[in-house]
Amino acid sequence: DFEVCIKVIIVGNGAVGKSSMIQRYCKGFFTKNYKKTIGVDFLEKEIEIEEDLFRLMLWDTAGQEEYDAITKSYYRGAQACIIVFSTVDSDSFEAVPIWNQKVIDEVGHVNTVLVLNKMDLIRGALVTELDADNLAKKMNMKLFKTSVKNNENVNDIFTYLAQSHMQF
Ligand code: GDP
Ligand code: MG
């Protein structure tokens, strides 16, 4: 049996929940006091979808969220990208196209999805679902609405990226 390896980079402004998302997906837990970095370049997760095996390598930005602070090695060889923003941070929403351009500049067009995280805080939030829907439509990208805290829709992102990898 052969296995498809996919390097996935997770970008977006600081504090939107990127590290928490990787940790939640790979290790299965959530913590409120998550450290700024996870101390390693990436975490791995193996998944099987209809008898196809995928190994996802999920790269964390180690807290260097300025566009130019992230090193080339972070982007190098990326085959998929998750751009995360949060319901409670309008700057993170405004920054989505900038992150997308940064990724294109570094690795060209890769399979990219948008994630609106912290849906548990959506009531009275700065970024509405409609804002996010419109942005996704404009950018022609699939949008996931997650709460890493409550483990809502997190797995779907990664299943989708694996499934769409072959077609991309
Ligand atoms: P990063 O800088 O993008 O890696 O963000 P972190 O993963 O470090 O998360 C920043 C803060 O947001 C931490 O205190 C997390 O516990 C919190 N957080 C992450 N995801 C969620 C979520 O879905 N809901 C809520 N309420 N808080 C979250
Ligand atoms: Mg982080």
Side-chain angles (χ1 to χ4, degrees), residues 13-20 22 34-38 60-65:
N13 283 11
V16 295
K18 302 181 299 297
S19 300
S20 303
I22 295 169
Y34 194 55
K35 281 203 254 82
K36 256 210 152 180
T37 89
I38 54 173
D60 197 10
T61 52
Q64 303 164 306
E65 273 90 359

Side-chain angles (χ1 to χ4, degrees), residues 66-166:
E66 288 153 58
Y67 309 113
D68 296 323
I70 298 174
T71 56
K72 297 256 177 216
S73 64
Y74 179 79
Y75 293 100
R76 192 173 299 129
Q79 293 148 304
C81 174
I82 302 171
I83 305 176
V84 187
F85 57 111
S86 124
T87 57
V88 293
D89 180 352
S90 47
D91 284 349
S92 74
F93 172 73
E94 305 291 340
V96 168
I98 303 171
W99 281 111
N100 186 45
Q101 191 56 52
K102 179 74 183 163
V103 171
I104 292 169
D105 291 347
E106 295 290 341
V107 288
H109 289 270
V110 296
N111 195 7
T112 302
V113 297
L114 304 180
V115 173
L116 174 59
N117 187 39
K118 307 199 186 185
M119 283 299 290
D120 54 290
L121 303 175
I122 191 72
R123 273 189 208 93
L126 295 166
V127 180
T128 68
E129 289 190 70
L130 187 60
D131 292 334
D133 290 338
N134 287 337
L135 181 67
K137 211 178 282 172
K138 205 167 98 186
M139 296 180 73
N140 196 24
M141 283 176 189
K142 192 161 172 65
L143 169 70
F144 293 88
K145 299 172 184 175
T146 63
S147 168
V148 171
K149 184 179 180 185
N150 296 341
N151 201 14
E152 281 168 15
N153 302 330
V154 176
N155 290 10
D156 298 353
I157 305 166
F158 299 97
T159 307
Y160 174 83
L161 285 176
Q163 274 176 327
S164 55
H165 179 70
M166 299 302 194

Side-chain angles (χ1 to χ4, degrees), residues 6-54:
I6 309 172
K7 174 174 174 175
V8 183
I9 55 175
I10 293 111
V11 299
N13 283 11
V16 295
K18 302 181 299 297
S19 300
S20 303
M21 184 175 294
I22 295 169
Q23 178 177 263
R24 163 68 87 190
Y25 184 61
C26 293
K27 296 182 172 170
F29 61 85
F30 175 81
T31 155
K32 248 186 129 183
N33 303 308
Y34 194 55
K35 281 203 254 82
K36 256 210 152 180
T37 89
I38 54 173
V40 292
D41 291 327
F42 62 87
L43 288 180
E44 286 187 336
K45 175 97 172 177
E46 209 174 45
I47 52 171
E48 192 182 325
I49 303 169
E50 289 162 12
E51 295 179 9
D52 292 323
L53 270 183
F54 297 89

